Amino acid sequence: MLRINAKTKICMIIGDPVEHSLSPAMHNRAYEVLGIDDEFVFIGARVKIEDVKDVVRAVKVMGIRGLTCTIPHKVEIMKYLDKKYIDPVALKIGAVNTIVNDNGVLKGFNTDWQGVLAPLEKEIDLEGKSVAILGAGGVARAMAYAVSFSGAFFTVFNRTLEKAEDLSRDFGGQARSYKDIACVQDMDIILNATPLGMAPRENETPLPKKYISKKQIVFDAIYAPYETRLLLEAKQQGAKVMHGAEMLLYQGIAQFELYTGRKAPESIMREVLEKNVIASEAKQSSG
Ligand code: NAP
């Protein structure tokens, strides 16, 4: 039976599009398992970028507890928040994906970097390791923050070299153009933050297979498909692989804890994600 009532706090995700988002399923299942599905409910709304300003006002006047922002709103929303309430890490990364409403004060955070760091730290001590970041957009910036925070050294490879240079300047790494991609073979960890390999470009990869070896960890931010061409080829080369679903999970865990003030049920949230990502893939390949 639904336990939602007039005191239930609303959390929600906005994006354009948003219908594919797994955040509502992941958070609502966690509320249910913890028995707090009368305290919190998580919904989604497709919002045009020109309407983001109105959403910020709605969050305030309606007392919405948590606002998750996905593409293309993570940068835009910052314009409508009071800078003094934006977490310094989110300011440095240049994107807010999480807003907590504390009695009318809207506090902005970025949890994408935790989505990168938490699964990596389970596999490896990052201190002193060399990391290749492919791409220089929003996710690459979160990755650069995460790895430099942990004492690793990174080199960013990007199609547009100036963007790689800006990123490396901001986070203390190196910038290289794709023509130097062969030097990736000497690095410990490879992180993909480009859309190469993402549906509908599943046949593409940002890195030739020959530059991957069994001593490396390869982490792809893409979560649909679950197993990208990059990850399949990395497996064939004997490398350890990490899926984009892990990033989605850990950024969501950090959000859950900010919104509810409770420890997130990790295994339950993982189960929801894996079931949904893998199920939607099976549906696509059969139809
Ligand atoms: P973004 O800001 O648009 O950045 C994309 C980057 O990829 C840019 O550096 C761009 O290079 C590069 N790129 C785009 N097309 C390329 C191509 N054909 N060849 C080479 N480089 C190309 O995107 P983002 O928000 O960082 O997202 C990056 C990826 O992360 C996406 O696949 C997204 O689905 C995934 N993602 C995953 C999660 C998760 O939780 N797992 C969360 C958010 C995003 P230029 O600078 O030259 O344009």
mmCIF file of all heavy atoms in Angstrom, residues 16-58:
data_model
loop_
_atom_site.group_PDB
_atom_site.id
_atom_site.type_symbol
_atom_site.label_atom_id
_atom_site.label_comp_id
_atom_site.label_asym_id
_atom_site.label_seq_id
_atom_site.Cartn_x
_atom_site.Cartn_y
_atom_site.Cartn_z
ATOM 1 N N ASP A 16 16.467 16.998 -19.512
ATOM 2 C CA ASP A 16 15.729 17.088 -20.774
ATOM 3 C C ASP A 16 16.508 16.308 -21.841
ATOM 4 O O ASP A 16 17.457 16.843 -22.403
ATOM 5 C CB ASP A 16 15.577 18.561 -21.200
ATOM 6 C CG ASP A 16 14.650 18.699 -22.394
ATOM 7 O OD1 ASP A 16 13.949 17.722 -22.720
ATOM 8 O OD2 ASP A 16 14.645 19.782 -22.999
ATOM 9 N N PRO A 17 16.195 15.032 -22.033
ATOM 10 C CA PRO A 17 15.060 14.281 -21.496
ATOM 11 C C PRO A 17 15.351 13.759 -20.088
ATOM 12 O O PRO A 17 16.491 13.868 -19.622
ATOM 13 C CB PRO A 17 14.932 13.115 -22.477
ATOM 14 C CG PRO A 17 16.344 12.854 -22.912
ATOM 15 C CD PRO A 17 17.013 14.211 -22.961
ATOM 16 N N VAL A 18 14.330 13.155 -19.485
ATOM 17 C CA VAL A 18 14.526 12.610 -18.145
ATOM 18 C C VAL A 18 13.894 11.219 -17.993
ATOM 19 O O VAL A 18 14.179 10.502 -17.039
ATOM 20 C CB VAL A 18 13.961 13.589 -17.084
ATOM 21 C CG1 VAL A 18 12.464 13.401 -16.891
ATOM 22 C CG2 VAL A 18 14.687 13.482 -15.761
ATOM 23 N N GLU A 19 13.089 10.860 -18.991
ATOM 24 C CA GLU A 19 12.277 9.638 -18.860
ATOM 25 C C GLU A 19 13.120 8.370 -18.707
ATOM 26 O O GLU A 19 12.652 7.367 -18.173
ATOM 27 C CB GLU A 19 11.333 9.486 -20.075
ATOM 28 C CG GLU A 19 10.250 10.560 -20.179
ATOM 29 C CD GLU A 19 10.741 11.944 -20.656
ATOM 30 O OE1 GLU A 19 11.930 12.075 -21.069
ATOM 31 O OE2 GLU A 19 9.939 12.897 -20.610
ATOM 32 N N HIS A 20 14.362 8.410 -19.193
ATOM 33 C CA HIS A 20 15.246 7.232 -19.119
ATOM 34 C C HIS A 20 15.887 7.088 -17.733
ATOM 35 O O HIS A 20 16.520 6.083 -17.439
ATOM 36 C CB HIS A 20 16.380 7.393 -20.145
ATOM 37 C CG HIS A 20 17.265 8.564 -19.811
ATOM 38 N ND1 HIS A 20 16.875 9.875 -19.998
ATOM 39 C CD2 HIS A 20 18.469 8.629 -19.223
ATOM 40 C CE1 HIS A 20 17.824 10.689 -19.575
ATOM 41 N NE2 HIS A 20 18.803 9.958 -19.093
ATOM 42 N N SER A 21 15.731 8.113 -16.891
ATOM 43 C CA SER A 21 16.494 8.147 -15.637
ATOM 44 C C SER A 21 16.131 6.995 -14.698
ATOM 45 O O SER A 21 14.958 6.674 -14.494
ATOM 46 C CB SER A 21 16.245 9.470 -14.911
ATOM 47 O OG SER A 21 16.861 9.399 -13.635
ATOM 48 N N LEU A 22 17.153 6.426 -14.088
ATOM 49 C CA LEU A 22 16.951 5.329 -13.134
ATOM 50 C C LEU A 22 16.937 5.843 -11.691
ATOM 51 O O LEU A 22 16.740 5.064 -10.758
ATOM 52 C CB LEU A 22 18.058 4.280 -13.312
ATOM 53 C CG LEU A 22 18.084 3.626 -14.697
ATOM 54 C CD1 LEU A 22 19.263 2.662 -14.815
ATOM 55 C CD2 LEU A 22 16.779 2.888 -14.973
ATOM 56 N N SER A 23 17.141 7.156 -11.507
ATOM 57 C CA SER A 23 17.188 7.700 -10.139
ATOM 58 C C SER A 23 15.886 7.457 -9.366
ATOM 59 O O SER A 23 15.946 7.010 -8.212
ATOM 60 C CB SER A 23 17.517 9.196 -10.160
ATOM 61 O OG SER A 23 18.832 9.376 -10.580
ATOM 62 N N PRO A 24 14.684 7.724 -9.946
ATOM 63 C CA PRO A 24 13.467 7.479 -9.158
ATOM 64 C C PRO A 24 13.373 6.032 -8.675
ATOM 65 O O PRO A 24 13.100 5.785 -7.497
ATOM 66 C CB PRO A 24 12.341 7.847 -10.127
ATOM 67 C CG PRO A 24 12.951 8.874 -11.043
ATOM 68 C CD PRO A 24 14.366 8.406 -11.237
ATOM 69 N N ALA A 25 13.640 5.080 -9.567
ATOM 70 C CA ALA A 25 13.536 3.656 -9.176
ATOM 71 C C ALA A 25 14.530 3.335 -8.059
ATOM 72 O O ALA A 25 14.185 2.662 -7.079
ATOM 73 C CB ALA A 25 13.791 2.774 -10.393
ATOM 74 N N MET A 26 15.744 3.843 -8.208
ATOM 75 C CA MET A 26 16.815 3.541 -7.240
ATOM 76 C C MET A 26 16.501 4.136 -5.858
ATOM 77 O O MET A 26 16.615 3.462 -4.837
ATOM 78 C CB MET A 26 18.120 4.133 -7.809
ATOM 79 C CG MET A 26 19.341 3.839 -7.022
ATOM 80 S SD MET A 26 20.847 4.223 -7.964
ATOM 81 C CE MET A 26 20.823 5.997 -8.099
ATOM 82 N N HIS A 27 16.062 5.399 -5.822
ATOM 83 C CA HIS A 27 15.790 6.053 -4.532
ATOM 84 C C HIS A 27 14.509 5.512 -3.885
ATOM 85 O O HIS A 27 14.488 5.244 -2.686
ATOM 86 C CB HIS A 27 15.700 7.576 -4.710
ATOM 87 C CG HIS A 27 17.030 8.224 -4.962
ATOM 88 N ND1 HIS A 27 17.766 8.836 -3.966
ATOM 89 C CD2 HIS A 27 17.768 8.338 -6.086
ATOM 90 C CE1 HIS A 27 18.897 9.302 -4.480
ATOM 91 N NE2 HIS A 27 18.915 9.017 -5.764
ATOM 92 N N ASN A 28 13.448 5.340 -4.700
ATOM 93 C CA ASN A 28 12.177 4.879 -4.115
ATOM 94 C C ASN A 28 12.297 3.478 -3.518
ATOM 95 O O ASN A 28 11.737 3.195 -2.463
ATOM 96 C CB ASN A 28 11.054 4.916 -5.161
ATOM 97 C CG ASN A 28 10.591 6.343 -5.428
ATOM 98 O OD1 ASN A 28 10.543 7.181 -4.513
ATOM 99 N ND2 ASN A 28 10.279 6.643 -6.677
ATOM 100 N N ARG A 29 13.070 2.621 -4.192
ATOM 101 C CA ARG A 29 13.260 1.258 -3.661
ATOM 102 C C ARG A 29 14.043 1.330 -2.331
ATOM 103 O O ARG A 29 13.734 0.609 -1.381
ATOM 104 C CB ARG A 29 14.000 0.411 -4.703
ATOM 105 C CG ARG A 29 14.342 -0.971 -4.243
ATOM 106 C CD ARG A 29 13.120 -1.892 -4.201
ATOM 107 N NE ARG A 29 13.496 -3.199 -3.709
ATOM 108 C CZ ARG A 29 12.835 -3.876 -2.784
ATOM 109 N NH1 ARG A 29 11.732 -3.392 -2.257
ATOM 110 N NH2 ARG A 29 13.247 -5.056 -2.391
ATOM 111 N N ALA A 30 15.007 2.230 -2.287
ATOM 112 C CA ALA A 30 15.790 2.382 -1.046
ATOM 113 C C ALA A 30 14.899 2.910 0.084
ATOM 114 O O ALA A 30 14.983 2.437 1.222
ATOM 115 C CB ALA A 30 16.971 3.321 -1.292
ATOM 116 N N TYR A 31 13.997 3.857 -0.214
ATOM 117 C CA TYR A 31 13.067 4.366 0.816
ATOM 118 C C TYR A 31 12.205 3.213 1.336
ATOM 119 O O TYR A 31 11.981 3.076 2.535
ATOM 120 C CB TYR A 31 12.121 5.446 0.259
ATOM 121 C CG TYR A 31 12.763 6.686 -0.325
ATOM 122 C CD1 TYR A 31 12.123 7.420 -1.328
ATOM 123 C CD2 TYR A 31 14.011 7.140 0.118
ATOM 124 C CE1 TYR A 31 12.688 8.564 -1.867
ATOM 125 C CE2 TYR A 31 14.582 8.284 -0.425
ATOM 126 C CZ TYR A 31 13.922 8.979 -1.419
ATOM 127 O OH TYR A 31 14.486 10.110 -1.965
ATOM 128 N N GLU A 32 11.732 2.412 0.383
ATOM 129 C CA GLU A 32 10.834 1.308 0.737
ATOM 130 C C GLU A 32 11.542 0.316 1.666
ATOM 131 O O GLU A 32 11.005 -0.053 2.719
ATOM 132 C CB GLU A 32 10.416 0.622 -0.571
ATOM 133 C CG GLU A 32 9.298 -0.356 -0.444
ATOM 134 C CD GLU A 32 9.073 -1.098 -1.778
ATOM 135 O OE1 GLU A 32 9.554 -0.652 -2.840
ATOM 136 O OE2 GLU A 32 8.422 -2.144 -1.726
ATOM 137 N N VAL A 33 12.764 -0.064 1.281
ATOM 138 C CA VAL A 33 13.487 -1.068 2.067
ATOM 139 C C VAL A 33 13.832 -0.532 3.462
ATOM 140 O O VAL A 33 13.792 -1.268 4.445
ATOM 141 C CB VAL A 33 14.745 -1.533 1.290
ATOM 142 C CG1 VAL A 33 15.654 -2.386 2.175
ATOM 143 C CG2 VAL A 33 14.324 -2.330 0.067
ATOM 144 N N LEU A 34 14.128 0.743 3.564
ATOM 145 C CA LEU A 34 14.447 1.333 4.877
ATOM 146 C C LEU A 34 13.182 1.695 5.668
ATOM 147 O O LEU A 34 13.265 2.187 6.792
ATOM 148 C CB LEU A 34 15.317 2.592 4.720
ATOM 149 C CG LEU A 34 16.743 2.402 4.195
ATOM 150 C CD1 LEU A 34 17.525 3.710 4.289
ATOM 151 C CD2 LEU A 34 17.498 1.310 4.943
ATOM 152 N N GLY A 35 12.018 1.529 5.030
ATOM 153 C CA GLY A 35 10.755 1.843 5.721
ATOM 154 C C GLY A 35 10.522 3.342 5.876
ATOM 155 O O GLY A 35 9.825 3.793 6.785
ATOM 156 N N ILE A 36 11.103 4.126 4.951
ATOM 157 C CA ILE A 36 10.909 5.587 5.026
ATOM 158 C C ILE A 36 10.139 6.089 3.795
ATOM 159 O O ILE A 36 10.245 7.247 3.409
ATOM 160 C CB ILE A 36 12.245 6.350 5.202
ATOM 161 C CG1 ILE A 36 13.255 5.981 4.087
ATOM 162 C CG2 ILE A 36 12.831 6.087 6.579
ATOM 163 C CD1 ILE A 36 14.509 6.865 4.066
ATOM 164 N N ASP A 37 9.375 5.179 3.181
ATOM 165 C CA ASP A 37 8.604 5.554 1.991
ATOM 166 C C ASP A 37 7.376 6.388 2.348
ATOM 167 O O ASP A 37 6.649 6.822 1.455
ATOM 168 C CB ASP A 37 8.223 4.326 1.152
ATOM 169 C CG ASP A 37 7.672 3.199 1.984
ATOM 170 O OD1 ASP A 37 8.020 3.096 3.182
ATOM 171 O OD2 ASP A 37 6.871 2.411 1.461
ATOM 172 N N ASP A 38 7.156 6.638 3.647
ATOM 173 C CA ASP A 38 6.149 7.638 4.024
ATOM 174 C C ASP A 38 6.818 9.008 4.220
ATOM 175 O O ASP A 38 6.177 10.043 4.153
ATOM 176 C CB ASP A 38 5.407 7.231 5.306
ATOM 177 C CG ASP A 38 6.361 7.013 6.471
ATOM 178 O OD1 ASP A 38 7.577 6.781 6.221
ATOM 179 O OD2 ASP A 38 5.921 7.089 7.618
ATOM 180 N N GLU A 39 8.150 9.004 4.409
ATOM 181 C CA GLU A 39 8.869 10.276 4.628
ATOM 182 C C GLU A 39 9.362 10.909 3.331
ATOM 183 O O GLU A 39 9.488 12.124 3.230
ATOM 184 C CB GLU A 39 10.099 10.025 5.519
ATOM 185 C CG GLU A 39 9.783 9.727 6.958
ATOM 186 C CD GLU A 39 11.066 9.502 7.739
ATOM 187 O OE1 GLU A 39 11.987 10.338 7.638
ATOM 188 O OE2 GLU A 39 11.151 8.483 8.431
ATOM 189 N N PHE A 40 9.722 10.052 2.360
ATOM 190 C CA PHE A 40 10.299 10.551 1.108
ATOM 191 C C PHE A 40 9.672 9.864 -0.100
ATOM 192 O O PHE A 40 9.363 8.678 -0.048
ATOM 193 C CB PHE A 40 11.810 10.269 1.052
ATOM 194 C CG PHE A 40 12.601 10.989 2.102
ATOM 195 C CD1 PHE A 40 12.933 10.351 3.291
ATOM 196 C CD2 PHE A 40 13.025 12.297 1.910
ATOM 197 C CE1 PHE A 40 13.666 11.013 4.272
ATOM 198 C CE2 PHE A 40 13.762 12.962 2.885
ATOM 199 C CZ PHE A 40 14.074 12.319 4.071
ATOM 200 N N VAL A 41 9.565 10.627 -1.187
ATOM 201 C CA VAL A 41 9.200 10.045 -2.480
ATOM 202 C C VAL A 41 10.073 10.733 -3.522
ATOM 203 O O VAL A 41 10.457 11.890 -3.351
ATOM 204 C CB VAL A 41 7.687 10.220 -2.789
ATOM 205 C CG1 VAL A 41 7.307 11.695 -2.949
ATOM 206 C CG2 VAL A 41 7.276 9.451 -4.041
ATOM 207 N N PHE A 42 10.430 9.994 -4.580
ATOM 208 C CA PHE A 42 11.341 10.548 -5.594
ATOM 209 C C PHE A 42 10.652 10.470 -6.951
ATOM 210 O O PHE A 42 10.235 9.415 -7.395
ATOM 211 C CB PHE A 42 12.636 9.719 -5.612
ATOM 212 C CG PHE A 42 13.798 10.426 -6.260
ATOM 213 C CD1 PHE A 42 14.869 10.846 -5.497
ATOM 214 C CD2 PHE A 42 13.828 10.676 -7.633
ATOM 215 C CE1 PHE A 42 15.960 11.498 -6.086
ATOM 216 C CE2 PHE A 42 14.902 11.336 -8.222
ATOM 217 C CZ PHE A 42 15.975 11.737 -7.442
ATOM 218 N N ILE A 43 10.532 11.619 -7.625
ATOM 219 C CA ILE A 43 9.861 11.673 -8.928
ATOM 220 C C ILE A 43 10.783 12.336 -9.962
ATOM 221 O O ILE A 43 11.902 12.769 -9.613
ATOM 222 C CB ILE A 43 8.521 12.442 -8.846
ATOM 223 C CG1 ILE A 43 8.762 13.868 -8.330
ATOM 224 C CG2 ILE A 43 7.528 11.718 -7.950
ATOM 225 C CD1 ILE A 43 7.534 14.773 -8.388
ATOM 226 N N GLY A 44 10.333 12.428 -11.196
ATOM 227 C CA GLY A 44 11.130 13.062 -12.244
ATOM 228 C C GLY A 44 10.279 14.040 -13.031
ATOM 229 O O GLY A 44 9.059 13.889 -13.106
ATOM 230 N N ALA A 45 10.917 15.060 -13.618
ATOM 231 C CA ALA A 45 10.188 15.993 -14.490
ATOM 232 C C ALA A 45 11.101 16.443 -15.622
ATOM 233 O O ALA A 45 12.261 16.810 -15.389
ATOM 234 C CB ALA A 45 9.703 17.207 -13.705
ATOM 235 N N ARG A 46 10.549 16.386 -16.821
ATOM 236 C CA ARG A 46 11.288 16.900 -17.976
ATOM 237 C C ARG A 46 11.138 18.419 -17.957
ATOM 238 O O ARG A 46 10.010 18.930 -17.944
ATOM 239 C CB ARG A 46 10.693 16.314 -19.251
ATOM 240 C CG ARG A 46 11.467 16.674 -20.484
ATOM 241 C CD ARG A 46 10.912 15.914 -21.680
ATOM 242 N NE ARG A 46 11.865 15.907 -22.749
ATOM 243 C CZ ARG A 46 11.926 14.981 -23.684
ATOM 244 N NH1 ARG A 46 11.088 13.987 -23.685
ATOM 245 N NH2 ARG A 46 12.824 15.063 -24.640
ATOM 246 N N VAL A 47 12.252 19.116 -17.937
ATOM 247 C CA VAL A 47 12.225 20.579 -17.819
ATOM 248 C C VAL A 47 13.105 21.176 -18.898
ATOM 249 O O VAL A 47 14.256 20.767 -19.078
ATOM 250 C CB VAL A 47 12.756 20.992 -16.407
ATOM 251 C CG1 VAL A 47 12.995 22.488 -16.336
ATOM 252 C CG2 VAL A 47 11.795 20.551 -15.316
ATOM 253 N N LYS A 48 12.561 22.151 -19.612
ATOM 254 C CA LYS A 48 13.353 22.829 -20.646
ATOM 255 C C LYS A 48 14.363 23.749 -19.966
ATOM 256 O O LYS A 48 14.076 24.310 -18.897
ATOM 257 C CB LYS A 48 12.440 23.668 -21.545
ATOM 258 C CG LYS A 48 11.524 22.847 -22.397
ATOM 259 C CD LYS A 48 10.995 23.745 -23.533
ATOM 260 C CE LYS A 48 9.845 23.108 -24.245
ATOM 261 N NZ LYS A 48 8.552 23.394 -23.620
ATOM 262 N N ILE A 49 15.484 23.954 -20.613
ATOM 263 C CA ILE A 49 16.564 24.713 -19.978
ATOM 264 C C ILE A 49 16.115 26.139 -19.610
ATOM 265 O O ILE A 49 16.504 26.666 -18.569
ATOM 266 C CB ILE A 49 17.845 24.680 -20.849
ATOM 267 C CG1 ILE A 49 19.049 25.086 -20.003
ATOM 268 C CG2 ILE A 49 17.732 25.522 -22.110
ATOM 269 C CD1 ILE A 49 20.307 24.330 -20.263
ATOM 270 N N GLU A 50 15.220 26.722 -20.431
ATOM 271 C CA GLU A 50 14.779 28.096 -20.133
ATOM 272 C C GLU A 50 13.850 28.150 -18.917
ATOM 273 O O GLU A 50 13.551 29.237 -18.405
ATOM 274 C CB GLU A 50 14.131 28.753 -21.370
ATOM 275 C CG GLU A 50 12.925 28.051 -21.947
ATOM 276 C CD GLU A 50 13.271 27.026 -23.029
ATOM 277 O OE1 GLU A 50 14.388 26.476 -23.000
ATOM 278 O OE2 GLU A 50 12.409 26.760 -23.893
ATOM 279 N N ASP A 51 13.407 26.971 -18.451
ATOM 280 C CA ASP A 51 12.502 26.944 -17.293
ATOM 281 C C ASP A 51 13.204 26.599 -15.976
ATOM 282 O O ASP A 51 12.545 26.500 -14.929
ATOM 283 C CB ASP A 51 11.361 25.943 -17.546
ATOM 284 C CG ASP A 51 10.471 26.385 -18.699
ATOM 285 O OD1 ASP A 51 10.316 27.615 -18.880
ATOM 286 O OD2 ASP A 51 9.959 25.529 -19.427
ATOM 287 N N VAL A 52 14.506 26.397 -16.034
ATOM 288 C CA VAL A 52 15.241 25.981 -14.831
ATOM 289 C C VAL A 52 15.109 27.008 -13.699
ATOM 290 O O VAL A 52 14.960 26.663 -12.523
ATOM 291 C CB VAL A 52 16.730 25.731 -15.201
ATOM 292 C CG1 VAL A 52 17.621 25.691 -13.978
ATOM 293 C CG2 VAL A 52 16.845 24.415 -15.958
ATOM 294 N N LYS A 53 15.095 28.283 -14.084
ATOM 295 C CA LYS A 53 14.950 29.354 -13.085
ATOM 296 C C LYS A 53 13.656 29.173 -12.283
ATOM 297 O O LYS A 53 13.627 29.322 -11.057
ATOM 298 C CB LYS A 53 14.940 30.701 -13.825
ATOM 299 C CG LYS A 53 14.920 31.891 -12.929
ATOM 300 C CD LYS A 53 14.917 33.160 -13.767
ATOM 301 C CE LYS A 53 14.890 34.355 -12.829
ATOM 302 N NZ LYS A 53 14.731 35.597 -13.567
ATOM 303 N N ASP A 54 12.565 28.847 -13.001
ATOM 304 C CA ASP A 54 11.261 28.665 -12.332
ATOM 305 C C ASP A 54 11.269 27.444 -11.420
ATOM 306 O O ASP A 54 10.603 27.423 -10.384
ATOM 307 C CB ASP A 54 10.138 28.506 -13.377
ATOM 308 C CG ASP A 54 9.941 29.784 -14.168
ATOM 309 O OD1 ASP A 54 10.276 30.861 -13.646
ATOM 310 O OD2 ASP A 54 9.475 29.709 -15.322
ATOM 311 N N VAL A 55 12.035 26.423 -11.829
ATOM 312 C CA VAL A 55 12.114 25.215 -10.989
ATOM 313 C C VAL A 55 12.767 25.570 -9.647
ATOM 314 O O VAL A 55 12.311 25.122 -8.589
ATOM 315 C CB VAL A 55 12.919 24.102 -11.704
ATOM 316 C CG1 VAL A 55 13.200 22.941 -10.759
ATOM 317 C CG2 VAL A 55 12.171 23.605 -12.928
ATOM 318 N N VAL A 56 13.797 26.383 -9.679
ATOM 319 C CA VAL A 56 14.491 26.753 -8.438
ATOM 320 C C VAL A 56 13.508 27.459 -7.495
ATOM 321 O O VAL A 56 13.462 27.179 -6.292
ATOM 322 C CB VAL A 56 15.733 27.630 -8.743
ATOM 323 C CG1 VAL A 56 16.345 28.186 -7.467
ATOM 324 C CG2 VAL A 56 16.765 26.821 -9.517
ATOM 325 N N ARG A 57 12.675 28.307 -8.063
ATOM 326 C CA ARG A 57 11.664 28.992 -7.249
ATOM 327 C C ARG A 57 10.635 27.990 -6.704
ATOM 328 O O ARG A 57 10.267 28.033 -5.523
ATOM 329 C CB ARG A 57 10.971 30.065 -8.111
ATOM 330 C CG ARG A 57 10.041 30.923 -7.321
ATOM 331 C CD ARG A 57 9.616 32.173 -8.043
ATOM 332 N NE ARG A 57 8.285 32.565 -7.579
ATOM 333 C CZ ARG A 57 8.010 32.971 -6.362
ATOM 334 N NH1 ARG A 57 8.970 33.082 -5.465
ATOM 335 N NH2 ARG A 57 6.780 33.282 -6.001
ATOM 336 N N ALA A 58 10.251 27.041 -7.556
ATOM 337 C CA ALA A 58 9.273 26.027 -7.124
ATOM 338 C C ALA A 58 9.843 25.182 -5.982
ATOM 339 O O ALA A 58 9.131 24.853 -5.036
ATOM 340 C CB ALA A 58 8.888 25.137 -8.308
#
